[in-house]
Amino acid sequence: MTITAIARIEELERENQLLRSIIDTINEGVFAVNEKDEILLYNSGAEKTEGLKRNDVLGKTQAEAYASFEEYYFAGDVCQKVIKAGIPLHDQQYQYTLSDGRKTYIAFDAYPFFYKDKVAGMYVIGRNMETMGEYIAKTLEVHKWITNQENPKTTGAKFCLSDIIGDSNAIKEAIWTAQRFARYNSPVMLIGETGTGKELFAQGIHNSSTFAEGPFVAINCAAIPETLLESVLFGAVKGAFTGASDMPGLFEQAEDGTIFLDEINSMPLFLQAKLLRVLQDRIVRRIGSKKETPVNCRIISATNVDPFSIDNDEILRSDLLYRLAKVTVFIPPLRERQGDVTFLTRHFVKRASSKFGLVTIDVSDELLSLFESYHWPGNVRELENVIESAMHFVGNEENVLQFKHLPLHFRKRINCKSTSSYSELPSSGNTFSGTLREIEKRLIKDALLRNAGNISRTAKELNISRQDLHYKIKTYEIKK
Ligand SMILES: Nc1ncnc2c1ncn2[C@@H]1O[C@H](COP(=O)(O)OP(=O)(O)OP(=O)(O)O)[C@@H](O)[C@H]1O
Ligand SMILES: [Mg+2]
């Protein structure tokens, strides 16, 4: 081999090395197959998204490589289309379940590649939608930060989605949904019990959206008297009613921003009809005026009862519900967030320690397990308040937060919840089946209590059907 040929091979090797390390550094997943559908290239982005290892898939056909996945319907149609027709496919999406049960959503483009004027295979560049949502949210946050530096003004929303703390899959899924849809204009409905963080989510969605630079206008529909709510929302003109002066409503004030309709379930039905018109026609008319004003704002609403549950079908008109809930974010109650009680406890203790100028103190195992078994009807707000109060009782020389530091009212409550034991059950003639029935009855009663008598939620928590639950309530003569 001549010296120039060797030099040329080295040059190609270097180039090849460079291209491979670039392909491995980018965030997109890239894979390529030859015309026989054997995998030639599989980068680390694809490894991260799909949870497979490059060495396990290279050289295999897609059917072999993805055999461990529950569903995988990508290879057949896309590869064949691209390889046969020799033309790229853009903006495709697909979803499949990984071997560990997680669902993955991918947006991708697929391209044929040519060698000596013939299609020699194809390659795919895919973006994991979850990661994409995070990038977009981060980019918008950076953008907002830069704009605020240049033009400091408050929009009324100080929280970002990244301020929502939690490590459970349940909360991560809610954050992910919020992130994913934040940048679209569609109305979002937040559904969650009191204290689960609906306000945080609303502000976070606003700050991650294209409306972030506009105002964030929040109104609690339950806090304003019915007679005033209409004028507060839509505005009024002078003389429209006694004492009325010219004033824009909140919809007008939220122009180019977000209006957050909190506790929408408390809105009277006649106003729901008017709100529906605003959503349909995107115009508002101040009370007493004939003039119609176009409105351009993102609508976020929140409710602490599930409006999709049959038990609650009268709180929101269904035509309004489907317009407000183009996207729904179910924010799970704290008791359903596996591991979050401990995670949040440590977070709040750390935050309070630094607020009180203490070194971060530890939390006793006994306290953590009591917290984990408590059902937290007031959710994160209750936990946050309990910890803030308890921290006042930690002496200077102490370095562990313990049960004794908790406020008295909470100690009583948590004790009475955690001491319920089988020995307290009525004897039921002391037969095994009688005792079992008593236990079942107790479990149902407790679950109903936790869910404020809501049949759907209770059935879901107990993992039985609604019919089953109705039957048992009747049999055991439980009062809802
Ligand atoms: N995931 C979380 N991470 C950190 N703080 C949280 C989280 N969720 C809630 N909080 C805190 O809990 C408190 C209650 O949250 P928020 O006001 O958003 O609840 P909410 O769902 O709007 O309640 P309500 O229905 O009673 O109005 C706030 O102080 C908030 O900062
Ligand atoms: Mg709230």
Side-chain angles (χ1 to χ4, degrees), residues 366-367 390 393 398 400-408 411:
E366 178 212 23
L367 189 57
F393 297 101
E398 290 179 295
V400 181
L401 185 72
Q402 296 174 48
F403 182 70
K404 64 175 185 186
H405 297 125
L406 302 182
L408 183 62
R411 263 185 283 158

Side-chain angles (χ1 to χ4, degrees), residues 460-473:
K460 196 170 164 214
E461 183 188 323
L462 295 171
N463 201 12
I464 58 177
S465 69
R466 286 167 43 87
Q467 289 88 329
D468 238 9
L469 182 58
H470 274 301
Y471 174 77
K472 286 180 198 292
I473 289 174

